Amino acid sequence: MNDYTDPDTWWAEYERCYRDRAWSDRRYRDQIDELLRAGLTAPLIDIGCGLGFLVECGRQSGIPTTGLEASEKALELARRRHPEADLRHWTSGEPLPFADASVGGAVLVEFIDHIPRKHNEALFAELRRVLKPDGVLQVQSPSRFNKFDEDKGHIDFFSPSEFRRFITDYGFQIL
């Protein structure tokens, strides 16, 4: 039986879902635009950046962007696709490799559901530490009520009200 909570095992299974994407896809440009409308200042970090599409889109848009990813397989593929992108290995539960109040924005897309609750607690404490006072945090994650999700790597979910409480407990404002 495969352990899909292992980032490289997950990428071996799901890489095919991302094969035909490109940094220039509308979804990544729209995400950058949404962050800018919310007041994003540089730099931006993409946690769980996968193949680095948002990182490259940010770079192409003139926004210094760093991608953090636990899967060496995904990083290898991302670096081949985006050789000038700032892509770094990072594992949940570790401190974020940034100085206090030095990051303008952070993106976590379909990431918090792949790590244990105690890693999320450590991550959000770290995000509070590294984000500038006016920093922007964007999180997308399926709800525990999503009955159609079949991702084998999901291990922890929040309901919308649980996540609202969780994030406000760390001092984040919901826009």
Side-chain angles (χ1 to χ4, degrees), residues 68-172:
L68 302 177
E69 175 60 49
S71 169
E72 293 290 353
K73 178 180 177 49
L75 282 171
E76 177 186 328
L77 294 168
R79 287 176 178 138
R80 260 192 263 142
R81 284 177 177 239
H82 315 295
E84 295 180 41
D86 182 1
L87 302 162
R88 304 177 191 180
H89 185 265
W90 174 83
T91 303
S92 72
E94 296 177 355
L96 292 170
F98 304 99
D100 295 359
S102 65
V103 174
V107 173
L108 296 89
V109 175
E110 305 269 341
F111 178 76
I112 64 171
D113 41 290
H114 289 270
I115 63 175
R117 186 65 55 111
K118 84 182 212 183
H119 285 202
N120 272 312
E121 291 166 357
L123 174 58
F124 280 82
E126 278 293 287
L127 287 165
R128 175 48 62 220
R129 178 185 68 78
V130 303
L131 281 170
K132 296 174 183 177
D134 60 347
V136 176
L137 174 61
Q138 183 185 64
V139 182
Q140 295 174 5
S141 178
S143 163
R144 78 168 59 249
F145 302 121
N146 182 348
K147 299 195 184 332
F148 303 103
D149 190 278
E150 297 179 2
D151 188 319
K152 299 172 187 173
H154 285 159
I155 60 173
D156 191 27
F157 291 102
F158 292 90
S159 71
S161 62
E162 288 170 328
F163 189 66
R164 178 177 291 278
R165 256 188 326 278
F166 179 82
I167 200 155
T168 56
D169 284 351
Y170 286 91
F172 292 104

Side-chain angles (χ1 to χ4, degrees), residues 2 9 16 26 48 50 53 58 62-63 66-67 91 109-110 140-141 155:
N2 290 329
T9 301
R16 69 186 174 351
R26 181 92 236 150
F53 300 118
I63 301 165
T66 299
T91 303
V109 175
E110 305 269 341
Q140 295 174 5
S141 178
I155 60 173

Side-chain angles (χ1 to χ4, degrees), residues 11-85:
W11 272 102
E13 175 79 15
Y14 290 101
E15 183 265 331
R16 69 186 174 351
C17 299
Y18 297 86
R19 194 173 293 144
D20 296 328
R21 291 188 186 183
W23 71 265
S24 57
D25 287 356
R26 181 92 236 150
R27 75 184 92 207
Y28 303 110
R29 290 180 294 159
D30 287 350
Q31 198 168 5
I32 293 289
D33 289 345
E34 184 178 320
L35 289 160
L36 290 169
R37 281 192 302 277
L40 173 71
T41 60
L44 173 65
I45 56 175
D46 181 5
I47 299 173
C49 70
L51 300 184
F53 300 118
L54 185 67
V55 177
E56 182 63 11
C57 187
R59 191 183 79 73
Q60 292 283 343
S61 300
I63 301 165
T65 306
T66 299
L68 302 177
E69 175 60 49
S71 169
E72 293 290 353
K73 178 180 177 49
L75 282 171
E76 177 186 328
L77 294 168
R79 287 176 178 138
R80 260 192 263 142
R81 284 177 177 239
H82 315 295
E84 295 180 41

